[in-house]
Amino acid sequence: MVGAGRIVVAMLVVVLGAGVGQGTAIAEAPARDPFGTWTGTWEAAPSGTATAHPGASFRNVVHLSVGGSAARVRLSNRLGSAPLRLDAVTVALRETGPDAVAGSMRVATFGGVRTVTIPAGEDLVSDPVLLAVPDAADLLVTVHTPDDSGPATYHRAAGQTNYRASNGDRAAEVDGSAYTTTTTSWYYVTGVDVLDAPAAGSVVALGDSLTDGNGSTRDANHRWPDRLADRLAALPAYLRLGVLNAGVSGNRLLRDDVGPSALSRLDADALSRSGVRVLIVLEGINDIKGTPNATDPDAFESAYRTLVSRAHAHGIRVIGATLTPYGGSSGYTAAREAVRQEINAFIRGGGGFDGVVDFDTAVRDPEQPQRIRPGYDCGDHLHFNDAGMRALADTVDLTMLG
């Protein structure tokens, strides 16, 4: 299946290469981890590839939902076309900008070694990194790519300023002054797990640009999944969940477009993540308004049922979210609006979901229900500003997630 990826856990089996400290992870993830309970705390689903920068160090800023006594990072060459060699990966608490908190810099290893090669089409999980991280912390996950390994797997629309040092291995530098180039994409890193988090598991938000955060303020962590994490933070540990954002701008439910389709990437971006208990699905508007557009509501219903069935096979509950208005934006037509309404009727009626969150009702303009309320509209009549993102998050009934 295109883009599904295969996750390998580096701590288990490593085949040593010709050079000291080189290894290629080949073992599959075990059912149980000997270190304890891991919970997903942050995610960025791969959305495509970008030009590689041989010799560069990428410093990614990632905002956690829940903390823990240790961390591990998920790296990806899922959409690459050649083996990806990494000779330095570090994790640190962020001070400000690309600067790390003094004393927090840690080297991530893979099967006990620092250099690792990730085969094309695969994901990799590091060994545990012995760094206690607090709730809502910003981490710096830095990778150095010494060679030209072909197109880089990345998450294009990060909504977060990240950094690149063009030459040399700068991964372990606490001072970020070498990181003179900024980017609004995340490179290679696709997730962070934490050990023994004060949480009962995690919830994944599977979606498109509405979930990815387009329209919200950059560097502010105001995407609706971030706002949901803020709400969950007030709950006791036995009810709290880490929040994983599996939104991909431009993504579709039914077909590959920007990134693999929701069905194609379901396992890699949701079902195989650590501690997942619940999945919230907001997917389909790009199928309706895109080119070519999908006009058959039965196709959506079949896809949703397939998605739910696959999640249930992993013991994961699924919450269906109604598709939000987009009147006034490009691609809107009355005929396409009729398709959206029919799909929403299916979702509201249950549609095989374990619960429903009615985003449409929460954000539509009462005077023009095919449009977003003006106070929630970022200006393009499709995406939400910070107030709209908060309205989406506030609509989620937290009791459905328990």
Side-chain angles (χ1 to χ4, degrees):
M1 181 177 292
V2 176
R6 187 169 71 91
I7 299 174
V8 290
V9 176
M11 73 180 88
L12 296 178
V13 179
V14 173
V15 178
L16 294 182
V20 175
Q22 295 183 357
T24 301
I26 63 172
E28 296 289 351
R32 295 181 180 273
D33 193 293
F35 290 90
T37 301
W38 290 97
T39 300
T41 184
W42 177 86
E43 176 178 356
S47 66
T49 59
T51 301
H53 293 269
S57 297
F58 288 92
R59 180 152 285 183
N60 301 282
V61 178
V62 306
H63 183 71
L64 309 187
S65 53
V66 296
S69 60
R72 64 185 184 186
V73 296
R74 293 171 176 263
L75 303 171
S76 183
N77 190 25
R78 192 190 309 172
L79 305 179
S81 57
L84 168 65
R85 191 164 78 93
L86 304 174
D87 66 353
V89 178
T90 62
V91 178
L93 294 172
R94 181 195 192 197
E95 181 68 51
T96 184
D99 296 337
V101 172
S104 72
M105 184 65 69
R106 302 288 189 273
V107 174
T109 59
F110 305 87
V113 295
R114 299 187 180 195
T115 299
V116 71
T117 298
I118 309 176
E122 296 190 2
D123 296 335
L124 183 70
V125 182
S126 77
D127 298 341
V129 176
L130 299 181
L131 174 66
V133 295
D135 297 343
D138 281 353
L139 283 189
L140 301 176
V141 179
T142 308
V143 300
H144 179 248
T145 56
D147 311 313
D148 186 351
S149 299
T153 295
Y154 82 146
H155 182 96
R156 181 183 62 82
Q160 171 67 55
T161 301
N162 301 293
Y163 304 91
R164 188 178 80 236
S166 297
N167 295 299
D169 177 4
R170 307 283 189 169
E173 294 183 3
V174 173
D175 181 352
S177 59
Y179 291 86
T180 56
T181 301
T182 61
T183 174
T184 54
S185 301
W186 285 302
Y187 280 75
Y188 302 113
V189 61
T190 65
V192 177
D193 301 334
V194 288
L195 186 65
D196 296 330
S202 59
V203 54
V204 177
L206 183 70
D208 49 38
S209 57
L210 304 177
T211 298
D212 211 1
N214 289 28
S216 64
T217 301
R218 182 184 297 173
D219 297 329
N221 303 305
H222 285 171
R223 312 163 193 87
W224 75 258
D226 296 318
R227 296 296 200 180
L228 178 62
D230 293 341
R231 292 184 64 206
L232 287 165
L235 298 181
Y238 73 93
L239 292 175
R240 190 178 178 190
L241 298 173
V243 179
L244 302 178
N245 189 333
V248 172
S249 296
N251 199 229
R252 294 191 180 204
L253 175 69
L254 302 175
R255 60 183 295 150
D256 295 348
D257 190 351
V258 180
S261 72
L263 287 175
S264 296
R265 65 190 184 91
L266 179 63
D267 287 284
D269 289 344
L271 306 186
S272 65
R273 297 284 170 155
S274 296
V276 178
R277 297 181 58 181
V278 187
L279 177 64
I280 302 175
V281 180
L282 176 60
E283 283 268 16
I285 202 67
N286 288 322
D287 299 83
I288 293 173
K289 73 179 190 66
T291 303
N293 65 301
T295 60
D296 181 8
D298 289 343
F300 288 84
E301 294 178 15
S302 176
Y304 290 137
R305 291 188 187 280
T306 297
L307 188 152
V308 170
S309 176
R310 287 170 57 187
H312 283 177
H314 290 260
I316 297 170
R317 300 172 62 248
V318 184
I319 309 300
T322 52
L323 303 184
T324 53
Y326 71 108
S329 71
S330 62
Y332 177 85
T333 68
R336 294 173 180 180
E337 172 67 4
V339 174
R340 185 181 75 91
Q341 294 292 349
E342 193 164 344
I343 293 168
N344 279 350
F346 170 78
I347 295 172
R348 288 190 183 100
F353 292 107
D354 300 297
V356 174
V357 55
D358 198 345
F359 283 163
D360 172 49
T361 297
V363 300
R364 70 191 182 200
D365 185 344
E367 302 300 321
Q368 301 179 86
Q370 77 278 14
R371 288 177 174 261
I372 300 168
R373 286 177 181 265
Y376 294 160
D377 191 342
C378 78
D380 65 4
H381 312 304
L382 171 65
H383 299 99
F384 298 97
N385 59 20
D386 291 351
M389 291 290 179
R390 182 183 291 277
L392 292 176
D394 288 349
T395 304
V396 178
D397 180 355
L398 300 186
T399 64
M400 291 194 303
L401 306 183

mmCIF file of all heavy atoms in Angstrom, residues 327-352:
data_model
loop_
_atom_site.group_PDB
_atom_site.id
_atom_site.type_symbol
_atom_site.label_atom_id
_atom_site.label_comp_id
_atom_site.label_asym_id
_atom_site.label_seq_id
_atom_site.Cartn_x
_atom_site.Cartn_y
_atom_site.Cartn_z
ATOM 1 N N GLY A 327 -18.699 27.619 2.003
ATOM 2 C CA GLY A 327 -19.331 28.539 1.072
ATOM 3 C C GLY A 327 -18.530 29.826 0.933
ATOM 4 O O GLY A 327 -18.087 30.402 1.919
ATOM 5 N N GLY A 328 -18.347 30.277 -0.316
ATOM 6 C CA GLY A 328 -17.555 31.462 -0.599
ATOM 7 C C GLY A 328 -16.123 31.172 -0.938
ATOM 8 O O GLY A 328 -15.399 32.046 -1.433
ATOM 9 N N SER A 329 -15.656 29.945 -0.696
ATOM 10 C CA SER A 329 -14.278 29.582 -1.035
ATOM 11 C C SER A 329 -14.222 28.997 -2.438
ATOM 12 O O SER A 329 -15.251 28.676 -3.043
ATOM 13 C CB SER A 329 -13.729 28.576 -0.030
ATOM 14 O OG SER A 329 -14.344 27.311 -0.188
ATOM 15 N N SER A 330 -13.018 28.843 -2.955
ATOM 16 C CA SER A 330 -12.865 28.273 -4.285
ATOM 17 C C SER A 330 -13.334 26.826 -4.270
ATOM 18 O O SER A 330 -13.124 26.099 -3.302
ATOM 19 C CB SER A 330 -11.401 28.346 -4.727
ATOM 20 O OG SER A 330 -10.579 27.595 -3.856
ATOM 21 N N GLY A 331 -13.968 26.413 -5.330
ATOM 22 C CA GLY A 331 -14.459 25.042 -5.433
ATOM 23 C C GLY A 331 -15.862 24.848 -4.936
ATOM 24 O O GLY A 331 -16.434 23.758 -5.092
ATOM 25 N N TYR A 332 -16.437 25.877 -4.323
ATOM 26 C CA TYR A 332 -17.797 25.718 -3.806
ATOM 27 C C TYR A 332 -18.816 25.799 -4.938
ATOM 28 O O TYR A 332 -18.767 26.684 -5.784
ATOM 29 C CB TYR A 332 -18.116 26.806 -2.785
ATOM 30 C CG TYR A 332 -19.539 26.724 -2.274
ATOM 31 C CD1 TYR A 332 -19.860 25.885 -1.219
ATOM 32 C CD2 TYR A 332 -20.560 27.455 -2.891
ATOM 33 C CE1 TYR A 332 -21.165 25.790 -0.765
ATOM 34 C CE2 TYR A 332 -21.870 27.360 -2.434
ATOM 35 C CZ TYR A 332 -22.174 26.517 -1.377
ATOM 36 O OH TYR A 332 -23.462 26.406 -0.947
ATOM 37 N N THR A 333 -19.760 24.858 -4.940
ATOM 38 C CA THR A 333 -20.929 24.909 -5.812
ATOM 39 C C THR A 333 -22.119 24.373 -5.028
ATOM 40 O O THR A 333 -21.951 23.658 -4.030
ATOM 41 C CB THR A 333 -20.758 24.063 -7.088
ATOM 42 O OG1 THR A 333 -20.718 22.675 -6.729
ATOM 43 C CG2 THR A 333 -19.491 24.438 -7.855
ATOM 44 N N ALA A 334 -23.302 24.695 -5.491
ATOM 45 C CA ALA A 334 -24.505 24.201 -4.821
ATOM 46 C C ALA A 334 -24.577 22.680 -4.876
ATOM 47 O O ALA A 334 -25.012 22.026 -3.916
ATOM 48 C CB ALA A 334 -25.744 24.817 -5.458
ATOM 49 N N ALA A 335 -24.135 22.095 -5.983
ATOM 50 C CA ALA A 335 -24.168 20.636 -6.124
ATOM 51 C C ALA A 335 -23.223 19.972 -5.135
ATOM 52 O O ALA A 335 -23.556 18.948 -4.521
ATOM 53 C CB ALA A 335 -23.811 20.241 -7.556
ATOM 54 N N ARG A 336 -22.053 20.551 -4.961
ATOM 55 C CA ARG A 336 -21.096 19.994 -4.008
ATOM 56 C C ARG A 336 -21.574 20.192 -2.576
ATOM 57 O O ARG A 336 -21.330 19.339 -1.710
ATOM 58 C CB ARG A 336 -19.715 20.614 -4.232
ATOM 59 C CG ARG A 336 -19.110 20.238 -5.578
ATOM 60 C CD ARG A 336 -17.822 20.973 -5.868
ATOM 61 N NE ARG A 336 -17.287 20.584 -7.170
ATOM 62 C CZ ARG A 336 -16.170 21.063 -7.695
ATOM 63 N NH1 ARG A 336 -15.449 21.957 -7.024
ATOM 64 N NH2 ARG A 336 -15.755 20.664 -8.886
ATOM 65 N N GLU A 337 -22.238 21.292 -2.321
ATOM 66 C CA GLU A 337 -22.813 21.520 -1.003
ATOM 67 C C GLU A 337 -23.849 20.451 -0.671
ATOM 68 O O GLU A 337 -23.933 19.984 0.473
ATOM 69 C CB GLU A 337 -23.440 22.910 -0.935
ATOM 70 C CG GLU A 337 -24.238 23.196 0.334
ATOM 71 C CD GLU A 337 -23.392 23.258 1.597
ATOM 72 O OE1 GLU A 337 -22.142 23.157 1.513
ATOM 73 O OE2 GLU A 337 -23.969 23.394 2.700
ATOM 74 N N ALA A 338 -24.613 20.023 -1.672
ATOM 75 C CA ALA A 338 -25.608 18.971 -1.446
ATOM 76 C C ALA A 338 -24.930 17.666 -1.044
ATOM 77 O O ALA A 338 -25.454 16.919 -0.196
ATOM 78 C CB ALA A 338 -26.450 18.776 -2.700
ATOM 79 N N VAL A 339 -23.768 17.384 -1.628
ATOM 80 C CA VAL A 339 -23.011 16.185 -1.255
ATOM 81 C C VAL A 339 -22.552 16.298 0.199
ATOM 82 O O VAL A 339 -22.670 15.339 0.977
ATOM 83 C CB VAL A 339 -21.805 15.995 -2.193
ATOM 84 C CG1 VAL A 339 -20.939 14.822 -1.719
ATOM 85 C CG2 VAL A 339 -22.270 15.753 -3.623
ATOM 86 N N ARG A 340 -22.022 17.468 0.577
ATOM 87 C CA ARG A 340 -21.589 17.665 1.971
ATOM 88 C C ARG A 340 -22.740 17.446 2.941
ATOM 89 O O ARG A 340 -22.573 16.787 3.982
ATOM 90 C CB ARG A 340 -21.000 19.073 2.149
ATOM 91 C CG ARG A 340 -20.409 19.318 3.538
ATOM 92 C CD ARG A 340 -19.849 20.730 3.676
ATOM 93 N NE ARG A 340 -20.906 21.725 3.822
ATOM 94 C CZ ARG A 340 -21.398 22.140 4.981
ATOM 95 N NH1 ARG A 340 -20.955 21.620 6.132
ATOM 96 N NH2 ARG A 340 -22.343 23.062 5.014
ATOM 97 N N GLN A 341 -23.900 17.984 2.611
ATOM 98 C CA GLN A 341 -25.053 17.832 3.489
ATOM 99 C C GLN A 341 -25.461 16.370 3.636
ATOM 100 O O GLN A 341 -25.814 15.913 4.739
ATOM 101 C CB GLN A 341 -26.232 18.668 2.969
ATOM 102 C CG GLN A 341 -26.014 20.168 3.019
ATOM 103 C CD GLN A 341 -25.960 20.716 4.432
ATOM 104 O OE1 GLN A 341 -26.270 20.034 5.403
ATOM 105 N NE2 GLN A 341 -25.539 21.970 4.564
ATOM 106 N N GLU A 342 -25.388 15.623 2.547
ATOM 107 C CA GLU A 342 -25.756 14.212 2.620
ATOM 108 C C GLU A 342 -24.749 13.419 3.451
ATOM 109 O O GLU A 342 -25.125 12.525 4.226
ATOM 110 C CB GLU A 342 -25.871 13.633 1.208
ATOM 111 C CG GLU A 342 -26.538 12.271 1.168
ATOM 112 C CD GLU A 342 -26.997 11.848 -0.212
ATOM 113 O OE1 GLU A 342 -27.075 12.722 -1.110
ATOM 114 O OE2 GLU A 342 -27.280 10.638 -0.407
ATOM 115 N N ILE A 343 -23.478 13.741 3.295
ATOM 116 C CA ILE A 343 -22.455 13.071 4.100
ATOM 117 C C ILE A 343 -22.640 13.401 5.577
ATOM 118 O O ILE A 343 -22.556 12.519 6.450
ATOM 119 C CB ILE A 343 -21.043 13.477 3.615
ATOM 120 C CG1 ILE A 343 -20.792 12.925 2.222
ATOM 121 C CG2 ILE A 343 -19.974 12.994 4.591
ATOM 122 C CD1 ILE A 343 -19.571 13.496 1.550
ATOM 123 N N ASN A 344 -22.916 14.655 5.878
ATOM 124 C CA ASN A 344 -23.121 15.036 7.277
ATOM 125 C C ASN A 344 -24.343 14.365 7.884
ATOM 126 O O ASN A 344 -24.345 14.015 9.075
ATOM 127 C CB ASN A 344 -23.241 16.562 7.391
ATOM 128 C CG ASN A 344 -21.887 17.248 7.394
ATOM 129 O OD1 ASN A 344 -20.853 16.593 7.494
ATOM 130 N ND2 ASN A 344 -21.888 18.566 7.283
ATOM 131 N N ALA A 345 -25.379 14.176 7.082
ATOM 132 C CA ALA A 345 -26.557 13.462 7.584
ATOM 133 C C ALA A 345 -26.187 12.035 7.966
ATOM 134 O O ALA A 345 -26.652 11.501 8.987
ATOM 135 C CB ALA A 345 -27.669 13.475 6.535
ATOM 136 N N PHE A 346 -25.331 11.422 7.161
ATOM 137 C CA PHE A 346 -24.853 10.071 7.462
ATOM 138 C C PHE A 346 -24.057 10.058 8.769
ATOM 139 O O PHE A 346 -24.252 9.195 9.628
ATOM 140 C CB PHE A 346 -24.003 9.560 6.308
ATOM 141 C CG PHE A 346 -23.268 8.281 6.607
ATOM 142 C CD1 PHE A 346 -23.925 7.060 6.587
ATOM 143 C CD2 PHE A 346 -21.907 8.301 6.904
ATOM 144 C CE1 PHE A 346 -23.247 5.878 6.865
ATOM 145 C CE2 PHE A 346 -21.225 7.124 7.177
ATOM 146 C CZ PHE A 346 -21.896 5.913 7.154
ATOM 147 N N ILE A 347 -23.150 11.028 8.930
ATOM 148 C CA ILE A 347 -22.322 11.081 10.134
ATOM 149 C C ILE A 347 -23.187 11.333 11.364
ATOM 150 O O ILE A 347 -23.039 10.654 12.394
ATOM 151 C CB ILE A 347 -21.230 12.160 9.984
ATOM 152 C CG1 ILE A 347 -20.248 11.775 8.869
ATOM 153 C CG2 ILE A 347 -20.479 12.355 11.301
ATOM 154 C CD1 ILE A 347 -19.257 12.873 8.518
ATOM 155 N N ARG A 348 -24.088 12.299 11.264
ATOM 156 C CA ARG A 348 -24.959 12.602 12.410
ATOM 157 C C ARG A 348 -25.836 11.414 12.779
ATOM 158 O O ARG A 348 -26.187 11.222 13.946
ATOM 159 C CB ARG A 348 -25.833 13.811 12.090
ATOM 160 C CG ARG A 348 -25.109 15.138 12.062
ATOM 161 C CD ARG A 348 -26.085 16.303 11.992
ATOM 162 N NE ARG A 348 -25.378 17.575 11.905
ATOM 163 C CZ ARG A 348 -25.191 18.255 10.778
ATOM 164 N NH1 ARG A 348 -25.694 17.787 9.638
ATOM 165 N NH2 ARG A 348 -24.526 19.388 10.786
ATOM 166 N N GLY A 349 -26.178 10.606 11.796
ATOM 167 C CA GLY A 349 -27.015 9.439 12.055
ATOM 168 C C GLY A 349 -26.266 8.279 12.663
ATOM 169 O O GLY A 349 -26.857 7.223 12.924
ATOM 170 N N GLY A 350 -24.990 8.459 12.920
ATOM 171 C CA GLY A 350 -24.189 7.383 13.517
ATOM 172 C C GLY A 350 -23.146 6.881 12.553
ATOM 173 O O GLY A 350 -21.957 6.908 12.827
ATOM 174 N N GLY A 351 -23.622 6.388 11.399
ATOM 175 C CA GLY A 351 -22.703 5.973 10.347
ATOM 176 C C GLY A 351 -21.693 4.928 10.756
ATOM 177 O O GLY A 351 -20.629 4.803 10.142
ATOM 178 N N GLY A 352 -21.996 4.191 11.802
ATOM 179 C CA GLY A 352 -21.041 3.189 12.254
ATOM 180 C C GLY A 352 -20.002 3.723 13.222
ATOM 181 O O GLY A 352 -19.191 2.968 13.750
#
